[in-house]
Amino acid sequence: MSIKVSEISKLYGKQKALDNVSFEIKTGEIVGFLGPNGAGKSTMMKIITGYIPQTSGDVFVNNINVLDNNIEIRKDIGYLPENNPLYLDMYVTEYLNYIAGIYKIGKEKKNRINEIIEKTGLQTEKRKKIGALSKGYRQRVGLAQALLHNPGVLILDEPTSGLDPNQIVEIRGLISEIGKEKTVLLSTHIMQEVEAICDSVIIINNGKIVAKDKTEKIQGSTTDNYQAILVEFNNSIDTKKLKALKGVKKIIHLKGNNWLIQADKSINIRESIFNFAVKNKYTVLSMQKQEKSLEEIFQELTK
Ligand code: ADP
Ligand code: MG
């Protein structure tokens, strides 16, 4: 179950919500679609699911063009829209029955509903009205609704937005679990969410993609041309000598015998620091490359 987005643009009147967006998601990946409010995340998701048409470009799900095969494609896609619109007056099982009807799930309907209730942890709440559920459980109902017809692709638009910290952890756990057997695109404006559950990340800002890569690669990347190393020595050091090392740009004293050393990216500065320590009879107690957090990278890319 793959998704291919090719040169998608979307105009709302004169406003360009998406500007030539392309990306691919391979089978089994959980991809984070990260961007500030108004970046174009929901618009992209509505286009992928066939709910609104693009202005130009193509979307393929499983190599099938979504525009041409809207009805067919929806059988393979589970969609949790932004703000999870639900019928609050319906009971949980009643609602899932109704959804099963829409997807024409036949005689296995009852089993399927029970299975999904189990999977999404709705056992204790299944006899309640949706309106009586907590936001976390409503989100589970939204996920159940998206999973009911057993689609290969899941499109989740800000699935944890508005939840309290405990509910967030629970829903993330559930998505990670479900994601093992699905191809998932999940939008969020929370970096930690991507760090917590996504293999890859696509960062979007003002309708344009500004970065896409494996989560750990994006974390290792930086638009700066220096690296930062955190070092703890056994003693206070002679910063003049350290500063004289080739490639060292800046030394910042942190607490105790901890130092942050910024150096040219092209230099193997850790080796130089180690040799410096040996030569000057210091001991390196610890040395650590400072990775930028996704948060910092995100701010850099979207400012
Ligand atoms: P996100 O989900 O990343 O917050 P959206 O896709 O909802 O972003 O919106 C992208 C841009 O398109 C925003 O500037 C938004 O105001 C605009 N937009 C979204 N939906 C509509 C619409 N139906 N009509 C006009 N403008 C819209
Ligand atoms: Mg949105």
Side-chain angles (χ1 to χ4, degrees):
M1 289 283 163
S2 59
I3 300 173
K4 186 175 180 203
V5 171
S6 175
E7 300 178 358
I8 288 288
S9 292
K10 174 71 182 177
L11 289 163
Y12 289 115
K14 278 186 191 148
Q15 196 201 344
K16 207 163 208 177
L18 292 172
D19 188 1
N20 205 28
V21 170
S22 299
F23 59 83
E24 270 182 70
I25 302 178
K26 296 196 194 79
T27 304
E29 272 190 315
I30 302 187
V31 176
F33 199 31
L34 183 63
N37 286 331
K41 303 181 296 296
S42 295
T43 299
M44 189 69 248
M45 291 181 142
K46 285 176 201 159
I47 292 171
I48 293 173
T49 51
Y51 279 85
I52 59 169
Q54 60 268 38
T55 306
S56 61
D58 290 297
V59 177
F60 301 90
V61 172
N62 273 345
N63 301 317
I64 298 170
N65 196 317
V66 172
L67 260 195
D68 301 338
N69 300 277
N70 206 310
I71 307 269
E72 211 38 43
I73 287 296
R74 283 196 203 183
K75 290 183 189 160
D76 279 335
I77 299 179
Y79 177 38
L80 178 63
E82 196 169 29
N83 306 321
N84 186 16
L86 295 168
Y87 296 104
L88 300 183
D89 279 337
M90 279 191 174
Y91 294 93
V92 173
T93 36
E94 180 191 9
Y95 175 66
L96 293 177
N97 258 299
Y98 162 74
I99 297 293
I102 292 178
Y103 284 108
K104 300 193 169 63
I105 300 173
K107 57 181 189 311
E108 78 269 41
K109 184 163 92 173
K110 208 170 165 204
N111 286 339
R112 186 69 197 144
I113 289 173
N114 285 336
E115 198 182 306
I116 285 299
I117 282 175
E118 186 74 39
K119 191 169 226 160
T120 52
L122 281 166
Q123 240 357 309
T124 57
E125 310 294 295
K126 69 180 179 190
R127 289 188 188 84
K128 292 188 185 166
K129 271 193 177 175
I130 294 171
L133 301 180
S134 70
K135 198 132 199 269
Y137 276 101
R138 284 187 203 184
Q139 216 58 356
R140 286 169 192 265
V141 175
L143 282 171
Q145 159 279 129
L147 287 165
L148 200 59
H149 57 299
N150 198 19
V153 172
L154 268 185
I155 307 288
L156 310 175
D157 199 352
E158 307 223 18
T160 62
S161 118
L163 301 184
D164 73 31
N166 289 332
Q167 294 167 336
I168 287 178
V169 171
E170 284 168 22
I171 294 295
R172 280 183 193 162
L174 189 52
I175 292 169
S176 295
E177 196 54 42
I178 294 164
K180 285 180 188 159
E181 25 187 273
K182 310 271 178 198
T183 302
V184 181
L185 179 65
L186 163 156
S187 75
T188 177
H189 57 268
I190 311 165
M191 321 338 119
Q192 295 94 308
E193 191 136 294
V194 174
E195 285 174 317
I197 47 182
C198 301
D199 308 314
S200 308
V201 55
I202 297 166
I203 304 179
I204 185 169
N205 190 38
N206 285 326
K208 286 198 174 90
I209 297 213
V210 290
K212 54 181 168 187
D213 213 328
K214 296 270 172 223
T215 308
E216 73 263 17
K217 277 210 181 141
I218 294 247
Q219 278 166 316
S221 77
T222 156
T223 56
D224 305 324
N225 51 9
Y226 63 81
Q227 53 182 321
I229 311 284
L230 199 62
V231 190
E232 184 180 4
F233 294 99
N234 64 327
N235 230 319
S236 188
I237 53 157
D238 182 348
T239 48
K240 271 207 199 93
K241 279 188 187 162
L242 187 57
K243 207 158 194 176
L245 293 181
K246 192 167 177 249
V248 170
K249 288 202 162 148
K250 200 172 176 185
I251 299 170
I252 300 162
H253 184 214
L254 308 172
K255 66 176 191 318
N257 297 319
N258 291 280
W259 307 80
L260 187 70
I261 301 163
Q262 290 181 347
D264 266 332
K265 237 182 176 177
S266 56
I267 305 261
N268 186 349
I269 195 64
R270 280 181 284 186
E271 194 174 319
S272 310
I273 293 167
F274 187 76
N275 290 336
F276 155 86
V278 171
K279 201 167 148 196
N280 296 282
K281 302 202 159 49
Y282 299 117
T283 307
V284 174
L285 298 178
S286 71
M287 179 146 64
Q288 215 180 340
K289 196 168 180 180
Q290 282 290 96
E291 304 275 26
K292 285 207 166 188
S293 69
L294 270 185
E295 183 104 47
E296 291 169 289
I297 294 163
F298 177 75
Q299 278 167 357
E300 236 172 62
L301 290 170
T302 59
K303 72 183 163 208

